[in-house]
Amino acid sequence: RAQFIVRADAICKASEVRLAPVLATEASALSGQSPNALVGGEALDKAQAIVRAGIAALRALPEPNADRTVLSRLFGAVGREAGALGTLATDFRESKTSAATAVEKEVTADSSQYRAIAAGYGFKRCGVHAGSGLGSIPAASAAAAAGRCE
């Protein structure tokens, strides 16, 4: 388990590094007097791709046999969050405020579940570190953007 955590945390840290500029672009595009939903949506699409790549890298690690059930729940939660990012991006581009708000709630719930599982499992970076690359993307980001895609 300890070796799995070390390797997984390295993947999450790498995802975090890749996500930082993308999330900065998204936040900038969706803030201020003239939000740009197209640029914000594109940034969320990029964020989704980074998260999905991180999930794939995590799934490629040999899992401790005794932990397969908990890791399945963890991957499920972060996978649902990643899927919702694409939906959120589409909602922004199509100015669907109410739909984006509903997706934001879904993303927040999935992110919270992922973080709780990750913390309980013993990760130091994945889902635990504020701003971590996997499982932390959109709670603040989506909330801010959902109110700005009108």
Side-chain angles (χ1 to χ4, degrees), residues 57-145:
L58 289 172
R59 285 187 177 276
L61 294 176
E63 298 176 3
N65 287 330
D67 299 337
R68 289 181 189 244
T69 300
V70 71
L71 291 173
S72 177
R73 288 184 22 242
L74 180 128
F75 294 144
V78 75
R80 286 187 304 276
E81 180 182 354
L85 286 175
T87 303
L88 196 57
T90 299
D91 289 345
F92 291 149
R93 283 191 293 272
E94 295 175 2
S95 298
K96 295 180 179 175
T97 305
S98 59
T101 300
V103 172
E104 179 267 328
K105 289 178 184 175
E106 176 185 330
V107 167
T108 300
D110 291 333
S111 182
S112 293
Q113 182 182 21
Y114 171 74
R115 288 177 193 222
I117 296 167
Y121 190 75
F123 286 111
K124 306 291 186 272
R125 196 75 181 198
C126 296
V128 177
H129 181 265
S132 172
L134 298 175
S136 69
I137 293 172
S141 184

